């Protein structure tokens, strides 16, 4: 059995959170998940994504509709459960929205983290995996990006909240040696669970490429808007490091394994494939593997977007024993399976099956 028995997953009903929960359950952990449904589908009765995670794994998830800005509520959850480690996904995450509503992002992402850390400390829980982002690097000075690349010269508010939290964790781990934290800097998560039961179901205007692309391929949207075709790249579109969400999920289990056997203080790892793929290239692969046609409309670049970035994930391979397994083709195929099985995303009402809400089944 893993040394960390019970894992609290904040933002557990979200896209990355729900896929990670599946991996955690399959690795033998118990999961307590919380979400306020700012980015995820759900209601007072629970989360369809987590119901399906139970279906995939055959295991129970304890779930609370909860908000990190409500500190007494979080305190109560820690009082009820002996939490061994926290995986912290919960955050507002739309780059464009962050530029329009900076105070909302600073309040939610920074204050939420502060509350969580204070409640953890008061319950003698010092183990955490933090969901960070490659946005902390800003416009790359060199490629591929290693963890030693400078951070802080960031082009958007969302990225700055991740950077400020990393700085907060740095200060905390220096001041209080009990803390044991891994910060995972994700590159661009795409794809879905191979079962097609869980996947990405954006609750806000489509900001991520793959859900938008799939909606166009389904005929639900007329055209895919591509932001910028005048970048200094081979085909003029931006280059990113797309990583399958299941590879990302396994990175969190690998991080837990390292924390459970070592006192690391604070360690940072890139999670990416190490390969840059242009927006146009991704669209071409998607069309090929799904036998669909996606009409494109090129518009001006978005404020805060950068030209190209991909990871050097050598450190994660050497210290976490983690590497990616899925190809670009599989990312597209798995997402298309999810989208065709669930053309309208998750059912918008929960069936209230075995997910536990507020302590009552």
């Amino acid at each position: 059995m893993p040394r960390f028995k019970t894992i609290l997953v904040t933002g557990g009903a979200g896209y990355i959170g729900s896929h990670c929960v599946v991996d955690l359950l399959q690795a033998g952990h118990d999961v307590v998940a919380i979400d306020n449904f700012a980015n995820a589908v759900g209601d007072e009765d629970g989360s369809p994504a987590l119901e399906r995670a139970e279906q995939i794994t055959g295991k129970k998830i304890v779930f609370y509709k909860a908000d990190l800005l409500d500190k007494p509520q979080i305190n109560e959850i820690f009082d009820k459960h002996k939490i061994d480690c926290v995986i912290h996904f919960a955050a507002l995450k739309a780059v464009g929205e962050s530029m329009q509503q900076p105070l909302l992002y600073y309040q939610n992402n920074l204050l939420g983290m502060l509350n969580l850390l204070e409640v953890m400390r008061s319950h003698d829980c010092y183990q955490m995996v933090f969901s960070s982002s490659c946005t902390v690097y800003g416009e790359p000075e060199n490629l591929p990006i290693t963890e030693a690349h400078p951070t802080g010269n960031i082009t958007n508010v969302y990225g700055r909240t991740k950077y400020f939290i990393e700085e907060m964790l740095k200060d905390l781990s220096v001041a209080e040696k009990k803390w044991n934290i891994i910060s995972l800097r994700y590159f661009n998560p795409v794809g879905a669970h191979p079962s097609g039961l869980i996947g990405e179901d954006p609750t806000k205007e489509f900001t991520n490429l793959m859900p938008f692309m799939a909606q166009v391929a389904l005929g639900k949207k007329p055209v895919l808007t591509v932001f910028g075709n005048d970048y200094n790249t081979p085909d003029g579109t931006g280059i990113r490091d797309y990583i399958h969400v299941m590879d990302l999920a396994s990175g969190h289990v690998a991080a837990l394994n390292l924390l459970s056997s070592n006192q690391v203080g604070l360690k940072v790892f890139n999670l990416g494939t190490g390969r840059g793929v242009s927006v146009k290239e991704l669209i071409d692969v998607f069309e090929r593997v799904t036998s669909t046609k996606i009409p494109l409309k090129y518009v001006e670049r978005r404020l805060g977007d950068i030209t190209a970035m991909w990871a050097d994930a050598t450190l994660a391979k050497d210290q976490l024993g983690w590497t990616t397994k899925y190809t670009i083709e599989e990312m597209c195929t798995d997402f298309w399976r999810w989208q065709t099985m669930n053309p309208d995303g998750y059912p918008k009402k929960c069936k209230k099956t075995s997910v536990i809400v507020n302590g009552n089944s």
Side-chain angles (χ1 to χ4, degrees), residues 41-72:
V41 175
D43 54 33
E44 294 300 333
D45 290 336
S47 149
L50 291 176
E51 284 180 358
R52 290 178 179 197
E54 290 188 323
Q55 202 181 321
I56 291 165
T57 59
K59 299 188 175 175
K60 292 273 187 285
I61 299 160
V62 178
F63 175 74
Y64 297 93
K65 181 171 188 278
D67 194 315
L68 292 174
L69 297 183
D70 183 345
K71 198 173 172 185

Side-chain angles (χ1 to χ4, degrees), residues 227-263:
F227 296 97
N229 62 345
D230 58 349
Y231 286 105
N232 184 21
T233 61
D235 62 22
T237 63
I239 291 176
R240 298 290 180 269
D241 187 339
Y242 296 101
I243 173 173
H244 196 295
V245 67
M246 292 312 299
D247 278 332
L248 204 55
S250 71
H252 292 76
V253 176
L256 282 188
N257 292 341
L258 183 66
L259 287 180
S260 71
S261 53
N262 296 271
Q263 181 63 34

Side-chain angles (χ1 to χ4, degrees), residues 17-235:
S18 57
H19 288 77
C20 186
V21 163
V22 167
D23 257 25
L24 290 171
L25 293 171
Q26 289 176 333
H29 299 282
D30 293 338
V31 171
V32 177
I34 66 171
D35 209 296
N36 68 355
F37 300 118
N39 292 326
V41 175
D43 54 33
E44 294 300 333
D45 290 336
S47 149
L50 291 176
E51 284 180 358
R52 290 178 179 197
E54 290 188 323
Q55 202 181 321
I56 291 165
T57 59
K59 299 188 175 175
K60 292 273 187 285
I61 299 160
V62 178
F63 175 74
Y64 297 93
K65 181 171 188 278
D67 194 315
L68 292 174
L69 297 183
D70 183 345
K71 198 173 172 185
Q73 189 185 24
I74 304 307
N75 203 62
E76 210 175 290
I77 292 166
F78 272 81
D79 285 347
K80 275 187 193 164
H81 302 276
K82 168 77 179 75
I83 305 293
D84 296 310
C85 182
V86 174
I87 302 184
H88 179 41
F89 293 105
L92 294 174
K93 62 185 177 66
V95 168
E97 183 183 57
S98 78
M99 302 297 278
Q100 293 160 353
Q101 301 191 61
L103 291 184
L104 177 69
Y105 272 66
Y106 287 130
Q107 181 193 45
N108 186 83
N109 295 3
L110 298 184
L111 194 53
M113 179 53 128
L114 270 173
N115 285 345
L116 179 60
L117 290 168
E118 286 175 346
V119 172
M120 285 174 69
R121 183 169 58 187
S122 70
H123 288 81
D124 280 331
C125 177
Y126 294 97
Q127 312 283 338
M128 174 182 271
V129 179
F130 171 56
S131 156
S132 190
S133 163
C134 64
T135 53
V136 300
Y137 296 118
E139 185 77 57
E141 292 175 9
N142 39 58
L143 289 165
I145 299 174
T146 70
E147 290 81 356
H149 188 287
T151 58
N153 188 18
I154 296 155
T155 55
N156 61 72
V157 173
Y158 160 71
R160 264 193 288 280
T161 66
K162 293 292 187 186
Y163 168 70
F164 290 151
I165 288 172
E166 282 200 1
E167 292 297 296
M168 198 193 295
L169 295 176
K170 209 184 284 179
D171 292 338
L172 183 59
S173 61
V174 168
E176 299 177 21
K177 300 300 181 201
K178 283 184 177 177
W179 287 96
N180 203 24
I181 302 168
I182 289 177
S183 182
L184 298 175
R185 292 174 180 162
Y186 309 163
F187 280 67
N188 290 69
V190 293
H193 191 271
S195 66
L197 287 171
I198 59 173
E200 187 172 10
D201 183 10
T203 55
K204 296 184 177 165
E205 202 36 52
F206 286 64
T207 51
N208 287 351
L209 177 60
M210 200 166 271
F212 203 144
M213 194 155 64
Q215 290 287 302
V216 174
L218 277 176
K220 287 180 165 286
K221 289 189 182 296
V223 64
L224 175 65
T225 305
V226 177
F227 296 97
N229 62 345
D230 58 349
Y231 286 105
N232 184 21
T233 61
D235 62 22

